[in-house]
Amino acid sequence: MHRLCNIAIAGVCLLPFVCTKLCRAQDAVSSDVVFLEVPIVVQAPGFHKFIKAYSDGEEFYIDMVDLLRLLGFRVDQKEGVLSAMDMNRSITLDYDQQQATLGEEEDVVPLLGELQYSEGMYLMTVAGIKRVFDADLTFDEARLSLRLSSAASNFQTSALGPRRFLGGEAPGPLRFGFERHLLGGSIISWHATSQWYRGRQVYTDMTARYSVNTLGGVVEGTAVKSSYSSTGFVNDVNYTFVRPGNRLANRVALGNQPWSDGTYMVGMRVSNLPLVTPHIQRTTSTSGRVEPHAIVEVLVGGQITDRTQADADGRYSLRIPAYYGTTEAVVRVQPLGGAAPYERRQYVLTTPALTLHRRVYYDAVIGRESAVQLQYGLTPRVTLRTGGSTARDFITGVTASPAPNVILSTDVDWPNRFVNTTVQMWRYRLGALAAYTSDHGSQNVRMSASGQFRQWEAHVSAVARHDAESWVEKRLMPAISFHTRNGMSLRSRLNLYTVNGIHRTSWRFTWNQVRSVRGTGLHTGAFMTRDASWALGGEVLVSFSTFFVGLNAKFDSGRNTIHGQLTLQWRSPIGSIRSGVTSGGMHSYSGFGTVGINPGIRFSYATHDESGAVLRIFEDLNRNGRKDPAEPILPDVEVQVWHAPVSRRNDGTLIATFLQPNTAYQVQIIEHSIRDPWLRPAPGYSFSFMAEPGRVKELDIPLQRLPLIRGRIAPLARPPGRLQVVAMIGQEVVETSPVYRDGGFALRLQPGQYTLRVEDVVDMSILFEEPLEVQQDSRTQDVEVKLD
Amino acid sequence: MTEFYNAGTDHLMSCAMHRAHMWRTLHMGAVAVFVVIAISGTCQAQDTGFATLSVSPAYAYITAQEPYGAFRLRNEGTVSMEVIVSAQYGVIEADSVGENTRIVTGRAGLVGDLTDRLIFYPERAILEPGTEQVVRFMIEGAAALPDGGYITLMHYKMQERAAVGESAIPAVATAISIEYSLVAPLVLFSGPIEPVLSTRVLGITDSTLTLLLANSTSYPFIGGVSAVKDGRSLGRILTAVYSRRRIEIPLSAPLGESPFTVAFDTDFPGISPYFARSTTPPAKVQF
């Protein structure tokens, strides 16, 4: 009775403030208890969402359908039983039996009095939720917030959609997608060499690799004219029509097709293999234990890729974009209470041999000779593959990664008696590899291990080869190196080997020093070797901004000769020229570079420039999104393009080069480099673009000076956290703003006619709606919103 | 990254509880029971979350040639925060007897007012824990300013972002909210920098020399102040003197009875070497 009185008083007190909720929820559970609808905010770092909840004045009841869906479960409701499943877990809440059943082991958690079912709503007390989810959820009654641990084991933290990777290389919205052109441009990389020996030309070659963006696809080829070639001129042409993102067939190609074993086959190729080797194959996770509630973030390549808060026990789990090869991740911990932050380094090894889970990749060539390859991601850590051709072997293999730092791989060709097995391991700065190959009775064993400690590195490898009867070769090769922070390095390598019963020893010692003096690079080095005889040598390389000189010499005590070479290289705006002469009378001359045609003509001093992008960041004075002649380029705005070098051209635009075609590149506009505070990029500060084959893509990035709409809501009849201001054109939401404690809000809008709406994000009621005209010439515009 | 205003010796953080709102709430008799809940909730909240904002840089010194820059705000705490940014003319100064170092708004001695020419964006932001917000600023028409120093104080007022539950009754929520204000001076120099300081000794102990520095020019002095005896520095402190400032120099040895010198230099961390080159430090003073 006393409790009922309290509840009644509480209800009366709250009535003026939450009357709409009260009326709707008063009979939510049973007729003798008055329930108030009290939305609860579910929080995790970078995540904030409301769910329905009710209070009887003492207990809080959470709407479990809302909560479980939020946590990424698929929820089914049936006759008093609520079943929830995600990829790894299942939870069944039986409202008749008053119990929960968890997981495949069917652990039963009694929840007597904690489950309430009424009128289609499946409710559960906070205490019950704690019993099911343990430390993964913390209820903060002061804030009515349910805090989720990012290191939770009872639900999928990745289900919290908005908690994506922060910054880093998580691709932003694709603002500049793939475009097809009848004639979109071409890029030609060229290389020419001529060698002379004592006044006589002994070798020439000319190679041009071209890539023409045409007919909606790309024509690629290589033209080679070489004095070694019997036919004199070789031209491989290939037309490829790509469909980026299509999982069934993303590439159809006609022509001379390169195959995985290095050979070529003429015919038609169809494949759904990734068009390019992706930079990120998948995400992996790292977990650990730090101070309770510490903020923990992970950096890859200097960029924060994920951030979380440790739970009450200090446990955390973070996601890392796993690059092919070795990824170094820095975990930075900021303990609460002002203690100094500290860092830990971790390494992750990822192999391209693993295919995404449940994904099938195929690659097939049909022609005079046909071949096919299949890969299947059996589990996230096991990949099966098989393949063969009409003229060659049929190989089946499996690759597994039982742990993030262990890779096992086996290939078998039976009955040809070929087996190849490798094991790779990586832990912190230690790595190890073991491989075994058996081919028609001949066996090879190869092992290596390497480690780093501060400025020291050590590496040891061993190889053994066994033919049908005996060991014919054994090698042991330890090496150690040391480097200083000012560019000096020392390396020594020993080679102990036995070949056909003969024991030999050789070693090599190398010293190098690299220095930069006022823009000039100076590289000096010396070495000493001992094999069959002694040898001593040294080299000096000097590089200026566009010019390079190299000189090296070697004395061989066995032949009692000195061998020297002088090399000169000049990097001109249209290409590079290189010349070398040796003491033995050999002269060589070579030139190389790249020409890009349409849009305009562009030269580069380097080769393999297959795709590029010009970023024109300009002030969009008339705010139409297009670059008009009078609109100035902003030469001070800095950008970062992940995995691509960016340089500024004389006209103030930026150019990103050496891009891989058909790859989405992430652009980050460095916000503080925009001088005028009113300017902001129309595509956002972070976005991506698709690099196209054979083309230097032009990206116009407008920075617009949009009027600032300053508003204030009065009176603030509802909690500001529940309110949201929306600017709409028709029914399309253009911009939204949260409402602050003082009732203020701010919007940046193009001049024009809008509908300004204030809505409650909890019950979605519309509290205010009126037209708003944003003036053409105003920098700021004040708006008063009066709520009734 | 420096937390709170920190220019030399002063660490200023104003923490003002809105008592007026609290009283109003306490006098709303019908909801008294919920006030108790809310206040106990505040205590509980201290165990589960805290609000901390850092501003970097803690001060910005710019020139008329490059009159722009940015502050970076970062929520180092564990709860969401609202930040409202504003600018006011004023300085940090001591009173005439060297007491009560405080923020004074509306005047800044001879240093000019930059507020009317300042534009910045955004004016308000919500920062989730661990996230950052860049506040860009620019001085309009800086090239036309007469030679001298100009100042405005950037105020970053932060309040914990209200969750729905705690602020189910808005008046209660306001009552328990605490507003923190961080102040970062933004100073623009036009022309050569020639500050002139008058120095008064307020006190000497074996371990501390207390001085009152008064700036009689429109150029703020930014740099180091050293106590020198027999050619040896016994202590040095970094400071920024806009109008009048009390400083305490920690001494490595007692000054004793014999004369000593107070010397000034322009070596200050985090500012452009341009200032060191363009600034003529005040003349040394012998005591």
Side-chain angles (χ1 to χ4, degrees), chain B residues 66-176:
Chain B
E66 295 182 338
Y68 42 80
F71 287 98
R72 191 182 297 273
L73 314 182
R74 185 178 164 92
N75 182 351
E76 306 274 13
T78 58
V79 293
S80 303
M81 283 196 300
E82 293 181 3
V83 181
I84 296 179
V85 190
S86 60
Q88 265 185 302
Y89 181 44
V91 285
I92 299 107
E93 69 171 26
D95 63 16
S96 57
V97 292
E99 303 277 334
N100 300 324
T101 298
R102 65 199 190 283
I103 295 172
V104 177
T105 55
R107 62 181 172 80
L110 298 172
V111 183
D113 185 4
L114 204 55
T115 313
D116 290 344
R117 292 174 180 268
L118 172 71
I119 54 172
F120 60 91
Y121 185 83
E123 298 172 353
R124 52 179 73 222
I126 291 172
L127 273 77
E128 297 295 331
T131 57
E132 292 183 346
Q133 173 70 51
V134 171
V135 176
R136 289 181 279 141
F137 62 82
M138 191 169 80
I139 309 301
E140 288 185 311
L145 284 169
D147 286 359
Y150 299 84
I151 191 170
T152 189
L153 299 177
M154 301 287 291
H155 287 253
Y156 299 96
K157 289 180 200 156
M158 69 166 183
Q159 262 182 311
E160 194 176 315
R161 178 73 176 158
V164 162
E166 110 181 80
S167 54
I169 307 162
V172 174
T174 312
I176 63 166

Side-chain angles (χ1 to χ4, degrees), chain A residues 730-742:
Chain A
Q731 290 303 308
E732 186 190 352
V733 174
V734 179
E735 181 97 350
T736 62
S737 168
V739 177
Y740 292 71
R741 278 179 182 265
D742 62 355

Side-chain angles (χ1 to χ4, degrees), chain A residues 612-616 649 653-656 696-700:
Chain A
V614 170
L615 287 77
R616 299 198 299 181
R649 304 199 299 183
T653 59
L654 295 155
I655 183 162
V696 177
K697 195 167 186 168
E698 292 194 318
L699 314 178
D700 284 341

Side-chain angles (χ1 to χ4, degrees), chain A residues 4-297:
Chain A
L4 282 175
C5 287
N6 282 343
I7 294 166
I9 292 168
V12 170
C13 295
L14 272 174
L15 189 61
F17 305 100
V18 290
C19 61
T20 56
K21 301 290 113 186
L22 177 67
C23 298
R24 202 185 300 173
Q26 61 184 353
D27 289 321
V29 178
S30 60
S31 58
D32 61 339
V33 179
V34 177
F35 274 78
L36 303 171
E37 184 175 326
V38 185
I40 279 182
V41 63
V42 179
Q43 287 182 303
F47 180 83
H48 188 96
K49 205 160 187 177
F50 293 103
I51 56 169
K52 283 181 191 166
Y54 303 90
S55 171
D56 64 357
E58 287 190 358
E59 284 283 2
F60 288 90
Y61 293 83
I62 311 289
D63 186 321
M64 290 307 288
V65 175
D66 257 18
L67 178 64
L68 290 167
R69 282 187 178 148
L70 188 75
L71 298 180
F73 289 90
R74 196 186 71 228
V75 181
D76 291 319
Q77 311 163 45
K78 194 175 180 184
E79 295 174 358
V81 176
L82 192 68
S83 305
M85 290 180 70
D86 70 0
M87 283 172 62
N88 302 312
R89 305 161 197 81
S90 67
I91 299 172
T92 305
L93 302 177
D94 190 328
Y95 282 71
D96 293 333
Q97 302 289 326
Q98 292 283 297
Q99 65 182 31
T101 310
L102 309 179
E104 291 178 354
E105 290 80 23
E106 299 195 343
D107 294 334
V108 175
V109 179
L111 295 168
L112 197 60
E114 315 289 3
L115 297 174
Q116 294 278 4
Y117 171 72
S118 176
E119 296 179 5
M121 287 189 293
Y122 291 81
L123 306 178
M124 189 175 189
T125 63
V126 171
I129 288 174
K130 286 288 291 178
R131 293 175 69 177
V132 172
F133 289 100
D134 200 19
D136 292 346
L137 292 170
T138 307
F139 183 60
D140 183 345
E141 194 172 330
R143 291 179 173 78
L144 292 188
S145 76
L146 206 51
R147 297 183 182 213
L148 308 183
S149 166
S150 299
S153 56
N154 288 308
F155 55 85
Q156 195 80 25
T157 52
S158 59
L160 308 175
R163 202 180 74 90
R164 299 281 182 210
F165 287 127
L166 307 165
E169 207 193 328
L174 187 65
R175 300 289 191 210
F176 302 90
F178 191 85
E179 297 169 1
R180 297 196 187 279
H181 305 271
L182 189 59
L183 186 58
S186 54
I187 293 177
I188 304 160
S189 293
W190 58 275
H191 186 280
T193 305
S194 176
Q195 285 187 346
W196 300 68
Y197 182 67
R198 295 186 176 170
R200 191 166 56 90
Q201 189 174 32
V202 294
Y203 173 73
T204 57
D205 85 34
M206 284 179 279
T207 305
R209 178 178 162 74
Y210 53 90
S211 178
V212 182
N213 190 305
T214 184
L215 300 173
V218 61
V219 174
E220 293 171 292
T222 307
V224 181
K225 182 171 174 49
S226 166
S227 57
Y228 282 179
S229 169
S230 56
T231 55
F233 183 77
V234 178
N235 186 10
D236 290 324
V237 186
N238 196 333
Y239 171 77
T240 307
F241 183 85
V242 296
R243 304 162 73 198
N246 191 300
R247 288 190 177 185
L248 290 177
N250 58 15
R251 167 174 33 194
V252 178
L254 294 168
N256 206 11
Q257 310 298 331
W259 195 241
S260 57
D261 59 3
T263 60
Y264 281 79
M265 286 184 275
V266 176
M268 184 177 80
R269 182 178 197 168
V270 184
S271 169
N272 74 342
L273 280 173
L275 291 168
V276 289
T277 303
H279 297 299
I280 306 173
Q281 191 217 21
R282 59 171 61 77
T283 62
T284 185
S285 64
T286 179
S287 56
R289 202 159 180 174
V290 293
E291 291 79 359
H293 299 300
I295 298 281
V296 191
E297 58 194 17

